[in-house]
Amino acid sequence: MMAPMLDMPQMMALVLILFILYIGDLISTYTKAWIPSVFICAVLFLAGYWTFFPKDIVARAGIPTVVAVLLMYLLITNMGTLLSVNELKKQWKTIIISLSGILGIIVFCSVIGIIFFDRNTVIVAIPPLVGGIVSAIIMSGGAKAAGLVDLSVFAIVIYVMQGFAGYPLTSIVLKREGQRVLNQYRAGKWQASTDEGATNSKLDVLTESDEHPMPRLFSKMPSRYNTSYFQFLRLAIVGFLAYLTSVFLAPIVAISPFVLCLFYGVIASSIGFLERHPLKKANGFGFAVMALMLFIFDSLNHATPEMLLNLIIPLVVLISGAVVGMFIFSVVIGKLLKVSMEMAFAIALTALYGFPADYIITNEVINNLTRDPNERQVLNNHMLAPMLIGGFISVTIVSVILAGVMVGMIIPIN
């Protein structure tokens, strides 16, 4: 094992970790997302930490913890602005199925986890299984603060690995669903849901489009004054209000400020204080995501080969339990709502990866099933909106709320 380069300069550290992120993207793109980029990046980071990377390579490159926390405030507030209540109403069946899948994860992982593992392992695992990077960071940080270093790493590892269960299963069930729809369409028996055309005509919540250059409260202000600094300022104000509320409520009830950021982002967007996707319009979204991805991989600097070997069994058992739980719950609820088994299970599976993987997989399936433009439009109208909204509900909303609640349930080491 090589000794770490303790005197590694900042720009060398930055080049190395950005090169890893790019390699992950490159392989993911080449394999059409069958090999997730986060897995490749995690493996390369581990290889670096076990050879020549200094343990603080991410902080050395310019992304210390304080910067990552700042970006989490901005990103989660930004998430809240993507919620369009009107569009979600049209996909109420999708929302119920997505929530049922999440309930299946919680129930099965809780039962299996408590039987085979300990309470903290179950608590740390559930939010990342329901969501993505934000919930994984929250649970990893909570476990680390409680002195549970191995579970801090586990939260990251389970986030990295769950896509391997989600990607192929989603592709299989969507292909079956797509073929079913095509067979009916070609036989002249296909009847689209009344909501499909309306929802897909303007997927504001999903495409993050916005016709208006200024949010409603500032509509009289010339758009040239809506600079990046003004957009960052309004995001920061909303994040600060979430923090103040969390501090104010602390003596009564512990609520994560990140949960409040999501809630306040919805309110701020609804009243016209924030536009849709302000962080992207301020040209800060890409950097924020990059920094948080680096912060997540930074948690792997505590991982040793022995620790990862010890985590394999809970990793496999809990991911398997999550898949079984979401299958049973989503299929039962889907049957009650007259949604096919395949479509219901695919919607539930979006909890394992979210956007943009849900968009990529759905488009890949459609492209593989047919080249006819009319048939592609039928499949697109039928499958794309439920898949995207399913991922939005689970990963963007519920996982953050779950993480904010469950992080306070971790029992620290005495």
Side-chain angles (χ1 to χ4, degrees), residues 19 58 102 137 338 371 387:
F19 179 70
V58 173
I102 292 169
I137 289 176
K338 298 182 179 179
R371 294 293 177 183
M387 289 297 292

Side-chain angles (χ1 to χ4, degrees), residues 276-331:
R276 191 179 303 280
H277 215 337
L279 197 56
K280 185 174 183 179
K281 292 183 172 69
N283 299 313
F285 184 73
F287 175 79
V289 172
M290 177 206 73
L292 280 187
M293 290 303 297
L294 292 176
F295 182 65
I296 239 192
F297 295 126
D298 183 52
S299 299
L300 296 175
N301 65 2
H302 300 292
T304 64
E306 296 77 19
M307 181 187 294
L308 292 182
L309 285 175
N310 292 333
L311 293 175
I312 287 178
I313 294 178
L315 181 74
V316 173
V317 170
L318 289 173
I319 290 179
S320 300
V323 171
V324 172
M326 68 172 68
F327 173 76
I328 293 174
F329 276 64
S330 64
V331 168

Side-chain angles (χ1 to χ4, degrees), residues 234-304:
R234 287 181 281 117
L235 268 174
I237 289 172
V238 176
F240 181 50
L241 288 176
Y243 166 77
L244 288 178
T245 305
S246 176
V247 172
F248 178 75
L249 294 175
I252 306 170
V253 58
I255 301 179
S256 169
F258 300 126
V259 174
L260 294 171
C261 280
L262 186 70
F263 178 64
Y264 281 8
V266 174
I267 295 175
S269 177
S270 299
I271 66 175
F273 183 74
L274 289 177
E275 55 268 78
R276 191 179 303 280
H277 215 337
L279 197 56
K280 185 174 183 179
K281 292 183 172 69
N283 299 313
F285 184 73
F287 175 79
V289 172
M290 177 206 73
L292 280 187
M293 290 303 297
L294 292 176
F295 182 65
I296 239 192
F297 295 126
D298 183 52
S299 299
L300 296 175
N301 65 2
H302 300 292
T304 64

Side-chain angles (χ1 to χ4, degrees), residues 86-91 192-204 206 377 381-382 385 389:
N86 290 333
E87 292 300 321
L88 292 177
K89 285 180 180 177
K90 297 173 184 176
Q91 288 285 339
S193 166
T194 55
D195 290 337
E196 284 183 12
T199 302
N200 282 278
S201 64
K202 55 174 230 178
L203 291 173
D204 290 342
L206 310 171
Q377 187 61 44
N381 289 346
H382 177 65
I389 289 179

